[in-house]
Amino acid sequence: MNQDEYQAKRDFKRTNEPQGNTLKKDGHPPIFVIQKHDASTLHYDFRLEIGGTLKSWAVPKGPSNDPAIKRMAIPTEDHPMDYAWFEGPIPEGEYGGGTVMIWDKGSFDNLKTDKEGNKISLEDSYEQGNVEIFLKGERLRGGYAIIKMKSGRMAGNWLLTKMKDEHANPDFDPVKTANRSVVSGKTMEEIAKGMN
Ligand code: MN
């Protein structure tokens, strides 16, 4: 776990973003969070608990339920575990200045196995750039793959794709349908204004 980049980018006298790793869940399944973030450009921050930290990607178009659609996922710095509970405004002028909504959260199972069917740990599959998980969120459910591109113009970025299973649904676009926080029920505008 290395959260130095996270710490270095932020002035904690000015932003309310969390610094802690108190949200440890030993013996429980790992957690995920998707935060809708209206910053310089709108995106969805996809974060998975791997190795005691939140591995993070910015997904400009958000997740899809359609296995035919691949969504660009740009890796960002590891976030502390407590970030999974963060919702609120980040002051203008600060790193990531704008509004953060908890768009989905829950736990997940690791699906990744080798050819013999042996489980590959989340840490190893992350290092190999090939993570397969089953999300148990309030909005998203089912298998998702997030795979690193190793060559070509987009090398180093990842692609987030819904895996083919009974939860796939090309006709349901979760990003277009769900506009409120799964925690507070607030819209982005209400979060930005600090309304209850
Ligand atoms: Mn972000």
Side-chain angles (χ1 to χ4, degrees), residues 20-26 31 49 52 54 80-86:
N21 286 293
T22 58
L23 212 142
K24 299 303 287 176
K25 298 189 67 168
D26 290 344
I31 60 165
E49 179 185 358
L54 290 174
M81 287 300 299
D82 294 5
Y83 210 91
W85 283 350
F86 178 69

Side-chain angles (χ1 to χ4, degrees), residues 134-155:
F134 189 100
L135 296 182
K136 297 171 181 171
E138 297 181 35
R139 293 200 163 121
L140 299 187
R141 189 167 185 86
Y144 284 79
I146 182 160
I147 293 170
K148 191 176 188 175
M149 290 182 276
K150 296 188 174 150
S151 60
R153 196 167 52 88
M154 301 307 293

Side-chain angles (χ1 to χ4, degrees), residues 32-49:
F32 81 95
V33 64
I34 300 173
Q35 281 151 322
K36 185 175 183 178
H37 186 186
D38 190 6
S40 50
T41 55
L42 181 70
H43 58 274
Y44 293 74
D45 287 304
F46 186 77
R47 311 190 197 280
L48 298 175
E49 179 185 358

Side-chain angles (χ1 to χ4, degrees), residues 120-191:
I120 300 175
S121 74
L122 283 168
E123 286 90 339
D124 287 349
S125 54
Y126 180 82
E127 284 308 315
Q128 292 163 14
N130 193 331
V131 176
E132 292 180 1
I133 50 178
F134 189 100
L135 296 182
K136 297 171 181 171
E138 297 181 35
R139 293 200 163 121
L140 299 187
R141 189 167 185 86
Y144 284 79
I146 182 160
I147 293 170
K148 191 176 188 175
M149 290 182 276
K150 296 188 174 150
S151 60
R153 196 167 52 88
M154 301 307 293
N157 287 318
W158 299 55
L159 292 171
L160 174 66
T161 313
K162 178 76 196 72
M163 293 165 72
K164 287 179 187 163
D165 60 22
E166 69 271 30
H167 303 287
N169 182 359
D171 299 323
F172 179 72
D173 183 343
V175 167
K176 285 213 177 97
T177 321
N179 290 312
R180 287 180 181 273
S181 164
V182 294
V183 171
S184 65
K186 293 178 184 177
T187 62
M188 291 298 271
E189 292 71 23
E190 288 165 349
I191 295 166

Side-chain angles (χ1 to χ4, degrees), residues 5 18 27 29 33 35 55 65-66 68 72-74 77 79 81 99 103 108 114 133-134 138 161 163 176-177:
E5 188 181 350
V33 64
Q35 281 151 322
K55 292 292 179 190
N65 280 343
D66 182 351
M72 182 68 68
I74 299 147
E77 73 275 18
H79 278 49
M81 287 300 299
T99 307
W103 184 84
F108 68 94
D114 64 19
I133 50 178
F134 189 100
E138 297 181 35
T161 313
M163 293 165 72
K176 285 213 177 97
T177 321

